[in-house]
Amino acid sequence: MAYVTTNFPTAHVAGESRIAGMVADIRDAWTRRRVYRKTLNELQALSARELNDLGLNRSMLHQVAYEAAYGKAK
């Protein structure tokens, strides 16, 4: 007597879940990168006087844009 066990549906669902997770991670990274670039471009477009009013100088712009997109650096 022979027994056959098929696990394809479970493995297939797990694979789809993993792929969906990877796609979500890529989408999140893409969105954060867009926020970083947009913030940096907008800050770089400001004059020295406008940056001074915000309490910023040009050397801080990358850090400020990074924190806007990714949160505080550790």
Side-chain angles (χ1 to χ4, degrees):
M1 185 178 295
Y3 293 98
V4 176
T5 303
T6 306
N7 291 330
F8 292 118
T10 305
H12 185 67
V13 171
E16 286 180 5
S17 174
R18 186 173 55 179
I19 291 171
M22 290 182 349
V23 169
D25 289 344
I26 291 169
R27 186 176 294 129
D28 182 54
W30 188 267
T31 301
R32 288 179 187 268
R33 179 68 179 170
R34 271 189 291 164
V35 168
Y36 171 79
R37 290 302 312 164
K38 184 173 190 234
T39 304
L40 184 61
N41 288 337
E42 289 178 2
L43 288 172
Q44 288 175 336
L46 296 176
S47 69
R49 182 176 178 144
E50 292 169 326
L51 289 172
N52 191 33
D53 287 344
L54 294 172
L56 301 173
N57 59 49
R58 296 233 176 253
S59 67
M60 300 169 66
L61 298 185
H62 287 278
Q63 178 185 356
V64 171
Y66 183 89
E67 288 177 5
Y70 301 102
K72 280 274 193 190
K74 292 181 181 180

